[in-house]
Amino acid sequence: MSEKKIILTGDRPTGPLHLGHFVGSLQNRVKLQSTYKQFVMIADQQALTDNADNPQKIIDAIFQVLLDYLSVGIDPKQTTIFAQSGVPQISELAFYYLNLVTVARLSRNPTIKDEIRQRGFEESIPAGFLVYPVHQAADITVVNANLVPVGADQLPIIEQTNEIIRSFNRIYGPVFNEVEALIPEKCDRLMGTNGLEKMSKSLGNAIYLSDDADTVQKKVMGMYTDPNHLRASDPGKVEGNPVFVYLDVFGTDAQKIQEMKDHYTRGGLGDVVVKKYLNEVLQTFLEPIRARRKEFVGNQDYLRTLLQQGTSETRAIGEQTIKKVKTAIGLTYI
Ligand code: TRP
């Protein structure tokens, strides 16, 4: 088995990407693309597993996500960007993998359990939703990837991917490498603007990479802080305070941030002052992203061609993988 690093990662296109996506995995993808072979997948089929009745939402988001990728600096010359639905070998592979997993094991997957709770599915979980981690194992292995940059919430899925790989190799022979998750060093899950644990579209607490300057400012000025910090003169709490969490992640002037934290903790520093500074920091971070987006937005022909080329390149690799898999299983008579 080879030592070469191949990256596969992706996102469900259910809306535009936000700062949590950037921190969780986009920044690692931009960093790693010049060193490793990287595939970035728009997981449209996975997005449909809980949006079957609203396909237009997914279709509309595909080009938004593609624009988000290009605007943060994912470079299509170095990274192959493709659409999951254009590589049917993934679903084919998933069908073999489904036999290597139990329904009980899937129901215990913490990521899925959380998402089922969030969506209020209770007893009516779409079967496709319950099994999407198996499909995700197929996403990763269809290109023989061994490195997966993701946010910490995805770790149980990567663990399950490795279980599938081990079962497959044990039963049919050594076809696949195990894979390694790569989670960010600094902050493996960015909290929402309302102080909830996770930034997410469905929780309504996200700042999007495509938000304009006014929208970002409004969101920042409305952010949750320390609820006990009522007057500027009160001592405030920095830990778990999203305004300071974001400054730590997106700020560049560590000394100034430390001074503000000390001042806030002592008392005497008002929320508005901190928020105004955070707004500056975020606008500085987002400005080059907005500028790059402008280069691509509206160039529909270019975007479509890019996605088509990436998808056919990946499909060709998928065909090779399926050949290996069918040979290993013994399905060689047709
Ligand atoms: N489940 C991932 C998410 O919600 C998206 C995804 C689909 C993915 N397939 C993948 C991530 C393969 C990494 C590798 O963010």
Side-chain angles (χ1 to χ4, degrees):
M1 293 186 209
S2 77
E3 288 293 304
K4 204 176 90 196
K5 289 272 184 240
I6 302 174
I7 297 176
L8 184 128
T9 171
D11 301 280
R12 281 178 270 195
T14 51
L17 302 182
H18 51 61
L19 296 180
H21 291 109
F22 183 85
V23 173
S25 70
L26 294 174
Q27 60 177 347
N28 269 334
R29 301 177 194 176
V30 173
K31 212 185 313 163
L32 296 172
Q33 64 183 346
S34 54
T35 316
Y36 303 124
K37 174 67 202 163
Q38 176 166 261
F39 296 86
V40 174
M41 184 188 73
I42 301 182
D44 50 1
Q45 288 179 303
Q46 187 178 110
L48 281 167
T49 61
D50 63 331
N51 287 287
D53 55 353
N54 195 3
Q56 198 56 44
K57 173 174 146 193
I58 308 307
I59 291 156
D60 290 344
I62 288 172
F63 284 94
Q64 276 178 334
V65 168
L66 181 57
L67 270 173
D68 285 329
Y69 288 163
L70 299 176
S71 61
V72 296
I74 291 180
D75 173 4
K77 290 199 192 73
Q78 307 190 73
T79 295
T80 302
I81 305 175
F82 72 97
Q84 191 178 37
S85 62
V87 183
Q89 292 79 13
I90 293 171
S91 302
E92 190 173 351
L93 197 51
F95 205 66
Y96 297 113
Y97 290 173
L98 279 166
N99 304 326
L100 309 174
V101 196
T102 65
V103 174
R105 172 67 181 91
L106 280 167
S107 320
R108 277 198 308 270
N109 182 313
T111 309
I112 299 301
K113 267 170 75 176
D114 266 7
E115 291 186 343
I116 287 171
R117 204 173 317 117
Q118 248 184 41
R119 288 163 176 73
F121 281 147
E122 294 178 10
E123 292 309 304
S124 47
I125 308 162
F129 188 83
L130 186 68
V131 304
Y132 92 62
V134 180
H135 202 247
Q136 187 159 333
D139 299 333
I140 296 168
T141 50
V142 81
V143 296
N144 276 302
N146 44 26
L147 191 63
V148 188
V150 278
D153 61 308
Q154 295 289 302
L155 287 176
I157 299 188
I158 308 302
E159 195 181 313
Q160 195 158 26
T161 298
N162 278 325
E163 287 174 21
I164 292 170
I165 291 172
R166 283 194 290 269
S167 295
F168 188 98
N169 289 347
R170 181 168 39 77
I171 301 170
Y172 305 116
V175 173
F176 294 110
N177 301 285
E178 289 199 29
V179 305
E180 189 190 330
L182 181 73
I183 58 170
E185 279 167 29
K186 219 172 166 182
C187 165
D188 59 20
R189 180 174 308 173
L190 190 68
M191 62 168 55
T193 53
N194 57 359
L196 287 182
E197 200 182 333
K198 190 180 163 186
M199 182 176 283
S200 128
K201 181 171 184 276
S202 51
L203 298 172
N205 60 9
I207 295 176
Y208 295 101
L209 296 165
S210 48
D211 277 345
D212 63 25
D214 283 352
T215 307
V216 171
Q217 184 178 12
K218 274 199 203 92
K219 288 181 178 175
V220 169
M221 297 317 284
M223 272 175 78
Y224 172 93
T225 59
D226 171 3
N228 296 316
H229 185 248
L230 296 174
R231 280 171 302 235
S233 56
D234 292 337
K237 227 177 125 202
V238 163
E239 293 78 40
N241 184 333
V243 177
F244 286 100
V245 171
Y246 291 9
L247 280 178
D248 275 339
V249 175
F250 297 100
T252 46
D253 189 344
Q255 194 185 340
K256 173 160 178 157
I257 294 168
Q258 191 54 51
E259 279 165 19
M260 285 184 118
K261 284 182 180 174
D262 293 343
H263 194 176
Y264 194 84
T265 309
R266 269 197 318 272
L269 181 59
D271 281 345
V272 172
V273 176
V274 189
K275 286 177 172 176
K276 281 193 171 146
Y277 180 55
L278 175 61
N279 179 54
E280 272 173 42
V281 163
L282 288 182
Q283 304 291 359
T284 305
F285 168 76
L286 288 169
E287 213 34 69
I289 296 177
R290 291 181 186 132
R292 223 176 288 117
R293 179 185 305 273
K294 278 206 196 107
E295 292 174 29
F296 301 105
V297 76
N299 200 343
Q300 204 56 25
D301 287 346
Y302 171 76
L303 296 174
R304 194 175 294 277
T305 305
L306 193 71
L307 202 53
Q308 279 169 348
Q309 284 173 347
T311 303
S312 50
E313 181 193 327
T314 311
R315 195 162 47 229
I317 298 169
E319 279 168 9
Q320 297 303 311
T321 305
I322 287 294
K323 233 181 242 165
K324 274 200 283 182
V325 162
K326 289 177 94 172
T327 304
I329 298 174
L331 295 169
T332 49
Y333 44 86
I334 43 160

